[in-house]
């Protein structure tokens, strides 16, 4: 069929091509594929599908190196979400996704629609969402703009998830000047399904109708995908209209209607119309099924008159789905949607001819051969070269940094670290998230990992997001290994066997050799850790171009980990609970302070090598810990991470503010280490355990070759945390630790409720 | 005994309410669809939490006009029990089943946390399984939970023993404000004049299993069973 330009469409000029973000090579490739000049509609389609956000053109060759299989992996990367089997005929679908760029210019809607998108990715697999997580990064809270972004993102995430009724159970929030202009907002969703109800987004069956479902299509979010594929600049603010607007009530209707559709047997495939909207969902479903499709844009339910095919195809209006139904079942599909007050319109069909075709009534406005629209996207392997500045920073002798006078009392340092917003309690955040709805949350936010029970079984899943961007900045390979290892350790601390991960790779502009080096090294490190810990990658998201004129964010390879707890009896909490319990340290203390929160917070230094990550030791630690937990001898287990051993012990005595305890520990065995390294160094593969039966814990550790030592006793009566190191006795009141840790963020947010913050925030009240 | 749990399109606590009745007590429960007029001969109606019709306008303002609510109001007027939780409480106030209104939390923020409550009336149809002045812990999760009414109404509620629950400090909460939303006179739950409608912001249906942290909500459903079956 002949493709004709629409009257009124702009002529294709080099300037227009450049405006669409295509390089001249990419444009030539397009012309060669078509054998002619593209129409305006075709140019728009390709600019979206070949954007970084949709095509992964700078990351896919690297992602292919990640381990993705295990006997229990039912669906690996390439679908809307990954799926793993958890026994009892049940499976977990899960995925993480970024909404960084939109959140940078419109935090409330940007973050909210991030949650909406990831929910849809999971329920389109046939899974009912049972938990949400997130991973957030902001600049320093000293800045009014950052406080506005932080408050807006948290409210957006909360309002959306709360309304849909999915508990937000865990996450991480990090504050660092490196994220000043580019906040990172990664949202993860976890859903439960019966194995046999797994639904894929693979178009098939010639003659089957393609149906647009849910909200009508408007002019919002056009070019959102390409916006997310460029650096932020002062001009980004003007692109605020590219940010979509969320409607969680419609999402809730769509969720229920979609699950009903999937279970009805009337449909063969379903996919969210997310980034690049209708065009990406239809082209991807066609490509997965290797079939032809035709879409008639005149049939797409639109919010306003006169929308062009270009706009209808590229709109990122939220809460829409694309469904391939069985031929003849259109009325059944319609009836299900009407029950939920949603519309359904047949807008195209699967065809025998190998072509991706868009028509507007009688006029063909776009046509691509076969599935080449998806498969012909160029792939890039740019030059990778480490930045000299980072090499220098890593090599810096951080041990030579002189202590500040106040550090004569290490308890001053401890309180300073507990007041760091990155370490301090995030209750101000998660209190705004409904984490108890659906009555599955056994361990909610604030612990090592969240635990959500699987109804009608005795099992539960453990969930956690993790990453230390400063580690990845100073050594991307080691940083990514640690991200996986720490997430696994957190999951194991709750009694969960780490099963699989979803990843969110947040990096700068890959065309810069030093950024591509970071990406390449981080993916390599992540692969090593996933292999060593037996946790394949089942999918994820890559977000590049997270930079602004002031520079790139820290490379931030976020890991979303799912673990399985074999019995509710083995669910373990992070904090001490019982007087007289022994405190056992699994793992060893070292003289590593590079890349630590201590250096950043106390000395304003970002330098040194991150702590060494020994993957065999991590695996042994997890095995020893799980064996002890399953033997019933572990009362609590808490990962030793940001801020080191002293912060971990402080958290153990007061992270649960309602039931504070106290502890006396003796670290004389490590008196040979500098005190700051012993207390605040971030050596990996360490867990603080409390136990009524220390011998059994030590035996488990010995069996797996894990160093372990009894370091103290839990005791609430004194109201103190005291630490002996040789002749030195350090003591601090638990009440002071608790006040510092729990009130740090509320105090900052309260103090800053200035006129300016209020004015900024009022933008986002909906 | 048969419980009916109303499902508005934006309800999200309907599942938890259903499970609390069926799993928690082994009683029968059915969902009642908002577009229906049929109460399916249930003995007790639960108006669950959620965002009934999105609640972008005012929580519960549209729900009161739904077909099922006409039947729920008639059910209440017959003296039959209605348990209205969170969004259900908001709807019950909008529908005139209970006096007063639930306004935006004083903090202007959504709050999800366990709260301590004192049982103020331990002899009602919904609270007889509690001890008088018993302190219990239930989760809250709402953005619009600040109970408000005129002074005369508040005096009458108190005078008639119709304040069922109040937010109350316990030993561990002393450091913090115990009233999580700024409700007048710390009111967390109230009864109608007939004692057959209870509206409350905290979620008893989320506290029926100690594995989730609290089973303090179970006595509410047990109380209903004793009284209605008796």
């Amino acid at each position: 069929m002949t493709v004709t330009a629409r009257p009124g469409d702009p002529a294709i000029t080099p300037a227009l091509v450049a405006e669409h973000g295509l390089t001249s090579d990419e444009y030539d490739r397009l012309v060669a594929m078509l054998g002619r000049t593209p129409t305006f509609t075709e140019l728009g389609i390709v600019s979206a599908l070949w954007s970084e956000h949709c095509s992964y053109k700078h990351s896919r060759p690297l992602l292919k190196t990640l381990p993705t299989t295990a006997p229990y992996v039912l669906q690996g990367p390439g679908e809307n979400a990954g799926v793993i089997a958890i026994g009892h005929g049940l499976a977990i679908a899960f995925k993480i996704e970024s909404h960084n760029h939109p959140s940078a210019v419109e935090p409330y809607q940007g973050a909210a629609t991030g949650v909406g998108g990831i929910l849809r990715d999971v329920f389109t697999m046939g899974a009912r969402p049972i938990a949400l997580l997130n991973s957030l990064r902001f600049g320093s809270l000293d800045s009014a703009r950052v406080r506005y972004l932080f408050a807006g993102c948290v409210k957006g995430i909360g309002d959306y998830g709360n309304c849909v009724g999915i508990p937000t159970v865990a996450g991480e929030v990090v504050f660092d000047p490196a994220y000043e202009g580019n906040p990172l907002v990664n949202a993860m969703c976890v859903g439960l399904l019966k194995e046999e109800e797994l639904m894929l987004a693979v178009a098939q069956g010639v003659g089957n109708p393609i149906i647009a479902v849910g909200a009508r299509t408007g002019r919002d979010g056009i070019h959102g995908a390409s916006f997310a594929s460029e650096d932020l600049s002062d001009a980004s603010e003007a692109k605020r209209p590219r940010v979509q607007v969320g409607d969680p009530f419609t999402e809730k209707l769509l969720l229920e209607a979609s699950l009903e559709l999937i279970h009805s047997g009337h449909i063969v495939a379903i996919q969210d119309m997310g980034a690049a909207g209708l065009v990406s969902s239809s082209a991807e479903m066609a490509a997965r099924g290797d079939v032809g499709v035709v879409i008639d844009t005149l049939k797409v339910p639109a919010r306003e008159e006169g929308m062009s095919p270009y706009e209808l195809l590229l709109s990122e209006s939220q809460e829409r789905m694309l469904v391939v139904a069985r031929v003849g079942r259109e009325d059944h599909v319609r009836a299900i949607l009407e029950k939920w007050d949603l519309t359904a319109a047949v807008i195209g069909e699967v065809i025998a001819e190998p072509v991706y075709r868009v028509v507007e009534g009688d006029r063909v406005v776009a046509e691509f051969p076969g599935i080449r629209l998806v498969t012909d996207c160029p792939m890039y392997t740019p030059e990778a070269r480490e930045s000299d500045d980072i090499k220098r920073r890593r090599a810096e002798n951080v041990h030579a940094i002189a202590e500040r006078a106040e550090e004569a009392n290490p308890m001053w340092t401890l309180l300073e670290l507990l007041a760091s917003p990155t370490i301090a309690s995030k209750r101000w955040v998660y209190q705004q998230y409904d984490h108890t709805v659906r009555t599955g949350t056994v361990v909610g936010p604030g612990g090592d990992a969240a635990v959500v029970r699987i109804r009608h079984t005795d099992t539960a899943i453990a969930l956690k997001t993790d990453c230390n961007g400063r580690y990845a900045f100073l050594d991307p390979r080691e940083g990514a290994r640690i991200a996986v290892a720490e997430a696994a350790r957190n999951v194991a601390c709750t009694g969960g066997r780490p099963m699989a991960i979803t990843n969110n790779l947040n990096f700068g502009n890959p065309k810069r050799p030093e950024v591509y080096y970071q990406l390449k090294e981080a993916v390599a490190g992540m692969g090593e850790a996933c292999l060593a810990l037996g946790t394949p990658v089942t999918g994820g998201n890559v977000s590049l171009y997270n930079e602004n004129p002031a520079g790139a964010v820290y490379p931030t390879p976020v890991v979303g980990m799912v673990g399985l707890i074999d019995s509710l009896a083995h669910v373990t909490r992070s904090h001490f609970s019982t007087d007289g319990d022994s405190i056992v340290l699994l793992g060893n203390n070292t003289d590593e302070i590079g890349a630590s929160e201590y250096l950043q917070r106390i000395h304003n230094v970002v330098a040194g090598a991150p702590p060494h990550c020994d993957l065999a030791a991590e695996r042994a630690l997890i095995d020893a810990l799980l064996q002890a937990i399953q033997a019933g001898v572990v009362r609590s287990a808490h990962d030793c991470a940001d801020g080191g051993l002293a912060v971990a012990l402080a958290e153990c005595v007061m992270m649960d503010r309602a039931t504070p305890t106290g502890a006396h520990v003796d670290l004389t065995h490590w008196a040979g280490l500098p005190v700051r390294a012993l207390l605040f160094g971030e050596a990996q593969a360490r867990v603080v355990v409390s136990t009524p039966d220390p011998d059994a814990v030590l035996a488990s550790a010995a069996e797996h070759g894990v160093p372990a030592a009894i370091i103290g006793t839990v005791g609430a009566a004194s109201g103190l945390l005291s630490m002996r190191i040789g002749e030195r006795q350090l003591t601090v009141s638990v009440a002071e630790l608790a006040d510092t840790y729990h009130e740090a963020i509320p105090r900052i947010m309260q103090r800053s409720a200035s006129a300016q913050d209020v004015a900024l925030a009022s933008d986002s009240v909906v | 005994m048969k419980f009916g749990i109303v499902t508005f399109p934006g309800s999200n606590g309907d599942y938890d309410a259903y499970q609390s009745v069926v799993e928690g007590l082994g009683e029968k429960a059915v969902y009642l669809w908002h577009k229906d007029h049929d109460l399916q001969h249930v003995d007790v109606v639960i108006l669950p939490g959620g965002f009934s019709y999105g609640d972008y306008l005012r929580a519960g303002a549209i729900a009161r006009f739904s077909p099922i609510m006409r039947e729920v109001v008639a059910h209440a007027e017959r003296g039959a029990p209605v348990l209205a939780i969170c969004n259900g409480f908001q709807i019950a106030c909008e529908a005139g089943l209970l006096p007063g209104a639930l306004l935006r939390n004083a903090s202007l923020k959504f709050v999800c946390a366990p709260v301590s409550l004192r049982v103020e009336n331990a002899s009602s149809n919904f609270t007889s399984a509690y001890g008088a002045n018993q302190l219990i812990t239930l989760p809250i999760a709402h953005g619009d939970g600040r109970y408000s009414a005129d002074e005369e109404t508040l005096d009458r509620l108190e005078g008639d023993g119709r304040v069922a629950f109040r937010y109350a400090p316990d030993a561990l909460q002393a450091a913090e404000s115990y009233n999580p939303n700024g409700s007048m006179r710390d009111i967390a739950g109230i009864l109608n004049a007939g004692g057959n409608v209870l509206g409350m912001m905290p979620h008893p249906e989320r506290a029926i299993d100690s594995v989730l942290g609290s089973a303090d909500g179970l006595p509410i459903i047990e109380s209903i069973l004793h009284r209605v079956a008796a």
Side-chain angles (χ1 to χ4, degrees), chain B residues 156-173:
Chain B
R156 199 170 57 238
L157 285 173
E158 289 184 338
D160 295 349
R162 286 165 56 193
V163 175
F165 301 102
R166 261 190 240 270
Y167 302 109
D170 67 14
L172 300 165
Q173 266 177 319

Side-chain angles (χ1 to χ4, degrees), chain A residues 155 159 162-165 246-250 252-253 256 338-341 427-428 430-442 453 455-456 568 573 657-660 743 765-766, chain B residues 7-16 19 23 33-35 50-56 104 108-114 139-141 172 175-176 203 205-209 211-213:
Chain A
K155 186 166 169 53
D159 283 359
N162 297 347
C163 180
V164 180
D247 173 5
F249 175 61
T250 300
K252 163 78 172 154
L253 305 181
E256 299 297 344
E338 271 165 18
K339 173 182 166 192
W340 293 98
D341 297 320
R427 186 158 156 265
W428 187 91
Y430 62 72
Q431 202 166 255
Q432 298 184 54
Y433 304 151
D434 189 340
H435 44 84
T436 52
V437 67
R438 295 198 65 75
T439 47
T441 311
V442 180
R453 67 172 168 177
R455 245 178 235 278
H456 311 303
L568 287 175
R573 290 169 197 269
R657 199 170 191 183
T659 57
E743 296 302 328
V765 172
V766 169
Chain B
T7 299
F8 297 102
S11 295
N12 59 37
D14 49 341
Y15 172 77
D16 296 332
Q19 294 295 348
E23 275 187 8
W33 185 239
H34 67 113
K35 292 178 187 173
F51 293 76
S52 51
Y53 290 86
D55 290 351
Y56 294 123
R104 180 67 49 91
L108 303 182
K109 290 190 181 65
F110 189 97
V111 181
C112 176
I140 56 162
L172 300 165
E176 296 180 57
H203 286 279
E205 83 287 10
R206 297 189 192 180
I208 57 144
D209 189 340
V211 78
L212 302 182

Side-chain angles (χ1 to χ4, degrees), chain A residues 32-237:
Chain A
M33 187 212 302
L34 296 174
R36 59 179 166 77
T37 303
T39 63
F40 179 56
T41 308
E42 287 168 338
L43 181 63
I45 290 173
V46 167
S47 100
L49 282 184
W50 290 6
S51 70
E52 191 68 49
H53 192 81
C54 290
S55 71
Y56 294 75
K57 58 191 171 190
H58 284 92
S59 60
R60 197 183 294 270
L62 298 175
L63 298 176
K64 283 189 178 152
T65 65
L66 291 169
T68 59
T69 55
Y72 49 82
V73 173
L74 303 179
Q75 177 63 54
E79 262 289 346
N80 286 319
V83 183
I84 58 169
I86 57 163
H88 307 279
L90 299 172
I92 292 292
F94 66 109
K95 168 102 173 274
I96 193 166
E97 193 162 81
S98 66
H99 242 216
N100 302 337
H101 283 67
S103 304
V105 296
E106 176 29 71
Y108 180 87
Q109 293 294 346
T113 52
V115 175
I118 199 63
L119 279 166
R120 292 192 293 280
D121 278 346
V122 164
F123 68 71
T124 52
M125 304 298 291
R128 177 169 285 279
I130 58 170
L132 288 164
L133 295 86
N134 52 66
S135 171
L136 310 178
R137 302 243 168 353
F138 301 96
S140 162
L141 277 180
D142 296 336
S143 143
R145 168 83 187 166
V146 169
R147 291 193 297 269
Y148 155 71
L149 292 172
F150 171 51
C153 285
V154 168
K155 186 166 169 53
I157 288 169
D159 283 359
Y160 205 102
N162 297 347
C163 180
V164 180
I166 311 302
T168 301
V169 297
E172 53 163 4
V173 192
V174 172
F175 302 91
D176 192 294
Y179 303 99
E180 185 81 41
N182 289 85
L184 302 183
V185 175
N186 296 174
M188 173 171 163
C189 180
V190 179
L192 179 68
L193 68 156
K194 291 182 183 151
E195 277 189 44
E196 73 264 19
E197 286 171 351
L198 177 59
M199 165 71 59
L200 300 179
V202 180
Q204 50 190 324
V206 171
N208 277 340
I210 296 174
I211 303 179
V213 160
R216 291 170 172 271
T217 301
R219 287 192 162 106
D220 51 332
I222 291 172
H223 281 306
S226 348
F227 169 51
S229 305
E230 60 192 44
D231 294 352
L232 289 178
S233 66
D234 295 340
S236 299
E237 197 67 20

